[in-house]
Amino acid sequence: MSTFEDFKLNRQLLNAISDLAYQSPTPIQEKTIPLALAGHDIMGIAQTGTGKTAAYLLPILMKVKYAQGNNPRALIVAPTRELAMQIDTVLGELGKYTDLRHLAVYGGLGPKTQIETVQKGIDILVATPGRLMDIYLAGHLVLKEIRTLVLDEADKMMDMGFMPQIRKILEIIPSKRQNMLFSATMPDKVIKLSEEFLEFPTVVEVAPSATTAETIAQKLYRIPNLRTKIAMLELLLQDAQKFNRVMIFTRTKQIADNVFKYLERKFASNTIRVIHANKGQNTRINAMEAFKSEQIRVLVATDVVARGIDVNKVSQVINFDVPIVYEDYVHRIGRTGRAYEVGEAITFVTMAEDYHIQKIEEIIKMKIPEVDLPRELEIYDTPFEERQLMLREIDNQRKKEDPSFQGAFHEKKKRPEKNKKITKKKPQNQGFKKNKK
Ligand code: AMP
């Protein structure tokens, strides 16, 4: 096994690494750092939790070396403000014994302070694509001295529709530069992007399947409906000692809010927060900080905001819904078992979600072990509308697999139904029609 000394990093960096108590490089660091130091273009396939941030930041810190001039020489582009902030924090930690000036620019706040800091001179810039272009187009930022470009979480950037901004960024920065692209997954669109801008890249990979399987205990519960999912969540969270630092993922903002409201009524409300894209920047930062500093026990989140958040020692990740962007499963459970911690990932699956679980299992190349529902769990009947929705979803899934499939679920045309909400006061079973069995 190699050590950080083997990479011939300078003393300032080695001291910072030692302060962070990193004992030895993680596999992605072991592979990436020597290649990046040698100037290669790199395509890194690694999820959050593997140590990928330091894998590309350490070579950048070596290369940029010390403060010089006014304009940034390295640019790291990331999909979300949370990730941009987190990368900037790691830059601060790793670069603490250097005089390098670094900054993260991202949307959601006024640009004034960011522009002022840019104008004072910076060496390494971290940015979300939209805000980067805004500041550049307003004439506050000179990008002609960029020598290293990193696109972090490229798959997420594609999913979020940042391709046009990324193309513009590639146009305005010098063509002679080193490029690194990191992505948790390699869908076709990311491969296409890498072909466009990487020159003879070396591919470095840490298999998500292996990482997932080795460090995270995964569990799957088959749960018939939303109401029972809520009951299951409540049951699990009663064990506050075991479930002491929990992230709950939901598919939509609405479900996130509903789950949050329910839990807030059941448990001490100051121990639970929710974050999603409709929450203001400050609310999101505060919630994350509170979760990191262990003031709150449970954080409910949607994927978009949760991606890239650096929170260590999450005791459990609970997938309240199965993600339909399958790679998000890997991202979600990457919150637990980060680097060398051991964690647990629990997924609730309805019959309509079974299809998605099978797809996820193909991606992670393993079967997620199924566990029986606890005896004390109250199992509610599935309301008629929810059942219809699920059956329709299953039909659509089958049609997707087999376009000639006519649909087993015949139903008279009705007004489109809305997803059933979690209502505030629902005496058990009332309002739920019994299933015809
Ligand atoms: P990342 O995948 O970059 O988000 O890193 C995940 C976590 O691993 C962060 O909390 C890092 O501080 C931590 N980490 C990164 N490199 C190492 C290392 N070599 N040894 C131990 N922890 C590390």
Side-chain angles (χ1 to χ4, degrees):
M1 198 150 111
S2 58
T3 65
F4 282 106
E5 266 81 12
D6 297 340
F7 301 136
K8 307 215 162 34
L9 298 171
N10 61 35
R11 190 37 55 198
Q12 287 99 315
L13 295 179
L14 289 174
N15 288 345
I17 289 167
S18 147
D19 287 357
L20 285 167
Y22 295 174
Q23 307 274 324
S24 55
T26 64
I28 193 77
Q29 291 164 357
E30 213 165 12
K31 291 178 188 171
T32 306
I33 294 172
L35 288 164
L37 286 173
H40 290 278
D41 269 14
I42 287 171
M43 165 141 135
I45 307 169
Q47 67 192 89
T48 305
T50 53
K52 68 177 165 71
T53 317
Y56 62 75
L57 287 183
L58 284 167
I60 288 179
L61 287 160
M62 271 297 278
K63 194 165 158 184
V64 178
K65 224 164 181 167
Y66 40 77
Q68 194 184 310
N70 265 333
N71 304 320
R73 284 165 288 150
L75 172 64
I76 298 136
V77 184
T80 60
R81 36 197 163 183
E82 280 80 8
L83 183 60
M85 286 161 64
Q86 182 193 315
I87 296 166
D88 192 50
T89 305
V90 181
L91 259 178
E93 289 167 352
L94 290 171
K96 71 194 253 202
Y97 296 115
T98 71
D99 64 350
L100 290 167
R101 301 152 300 171
H102 57 93
L103 170 72
V105 298
Y106 43 82
L109 318 166
K112 192 164 167 271
T113 319
Q114 294 172 0
I115 291 169
E116 279 166 10
T117 315
V118 166
Q119 285 170 339
K120 280 187 207 140
I122 47 169
D123 303 292
I124 303 174
L125 181 64
V126 187
T128 53
R131 177 54 59 95
L132 177 71
M133 285 311 295
D134 290 349
I135 298 184
Y136 173 79
L137 291 172
H140 301 298
L141 186 61
V142 178
L143 293 174
K144 62 176 194 235
E145 286 169 41
I146 296 292
R147 294 285 172 270
T148 311
L149 171 70
V150 177
L151 297 186
D152 198 357
E153 300 203 345
D155 46 356
K156 191 74 183 174
M157 288 203 272
M158 305 285 100
D159 289 346
M160 292 172 74
F162 282 135
M163 196 60 212
Q165 285 95 330
I166 289 172
R167 284 238 163 76
K168 288 215 183 74
I169 294 167
L170 296 177
E171 272 168 31
I172 56 183
I173 61 176
S175 57
K176 204 171 151 8
R177 56 168 199 262
Q178 181 180 23
N179 299 298
M180 295 187 249
L181 178 149
F182 283 84
S183 192
T185 56
M186 278 293 146
D188 289 347
K189 52 195 172 191
V190 173
I191 294 174
K192 195 160 165 279
L193 170 71
S194 70
E195 282 166 356
E196 261 178 54
F197 96 112
L198 297 175
E199 270 183 49
F200 307 108
T202 311
V203 178
V204 291
E205 182 167 8
V206 285
S209 52
T211 327
T212 310
E214 278 164 21
T215 59
I216 302 163
Q218 301 175 74
K219 271 187 196 172
L220 181 155
Y221 288 107
R222 291 197 189 277
I223 301 187
N225 50 48
L226 185 61
R227 183 67 190 85
T228 314
K229 279 188 175 183
I230 294 270
M232 181 67 178
L233 200 54
E234 190 186 338
L235 186 67
L236 291 176
L237 291 178
Q238 273 164 10
D239 187 348
Q241 211 161 19
K242 184 169 173 215
F243 287 76
N244 58 42
R245 227 162 126 72
V246 187
M247 280 194 83
I248 300 172
F249 290 95
T250 66
R251 205 189 280 184
T252 66
K253 288 176 264 200
Q254 196 198 7
I255 301 177
D257 273 333
N258 286 338
V259 165
F260 167 70
K261 280 182 206 148
Y262 184 87
L263 294 179
E264 202 188 20
R265 273 184 290 123
K266 290 286 166 184
F267 299 95
S269 63
N270 58 355
T271 61
I272 299 170
R273 300 268 180 92
V274 60
I275 53 170
H276 55 62
N278 280 7
K279 297 276 164 193
Q281 168 78 347
N282 285 341
T283 317
R284 283 156 61 171
I285 295 175
N286 289 343
M288 263 172 54
E289 289 307 318
F291 188 67
K292 274 192 195 176
S293 60
E294 299 183 29
Q295 292 162 40
I296 56 171
R297 170 162 88 98
V298 180
L299 190 63
V300 185
T302 54
D303 287 302
V304 171
V305 293
R307 178 82 76 104
I309 294 177
D310 183 30
V311 182
N312 282 311
K313 297 184 197 142
V314 173
S315 56
Q316 284 85 10
V317 160
I318 300 180
N319 295 312
F320 188 82
D321 309 299
V322 177
I324 35 179
V325 175
Y326 303 134
E327 290 79 13
D328 277 334
Y329 179 82
V330 180
H331 288 290
R332 286 181 179 188
I333 74 170
R335 317 272 114 234
T336 174
R338 294 170 71 76
Y340 296 111
E341 305 287 344
V342 174
E344 192 178 31
I346 298 169
T347 305
F348 296 170
V349 187
T350 63
M351 64 177 179
E353 291 175 313
D354 195 42
Y355 172 84
H356 304 301
I357 273 295
Q358 287 173 30
K359 299 275 172 191
I360 287 167
E361 289 178 336
E362 278 168 31
I363 290 180
I364 62 170
K365 298 192 185 76
M366 66 172 284
K367 201 138 183 67
I368 306 168
E370 187 178 334
V371 183
D372 289 340
L373 293 176
R375 253 197 231 137
E376 32 324 356
L377 176 70
E378 175 143 14
I379 300 186
Y380 294 85
D381 283 342
T382 308
F384 178 75
E385 285 189 4
E386 192 181 349
R387 191 176 166 79
Q388 298 293 93
L389 273 175
M390 288 199 281
L391 289 174
R392 200 173 306 142
E393 231 178 292
I394 292 172
D395 256 14
N396 290 337
Q397 292 159 358
R398 288 179 65 180
K399 276 182 204 151
K400 219 192 238 164
E401 294 296 307
D402 172 13
S404 68
F405 176 71
Q406 292 294 314
F409 175 64
H410 298 295
E411 195 209 12
K412 282 184 220 108
K413 280 220 167 93
K414 275 178 37 174
R415 275 181 289 116
E417 286 160 331
K418 290 204 176 90
N419 259 318
K420 244 202 137 41
K421 267 200 207 162
I422 305 159
T423 43
K424 280 213 159 166
K425 240 184 5 196
K426 185 145 296 199
Q428 290 173 359
N429 279 344
Q430 246 185 40
F432 292 86
K433 290 184 188 153
K434 287 257 182 254
N435 293 331
K436 288 188 194 105
K437 290 209 178 113

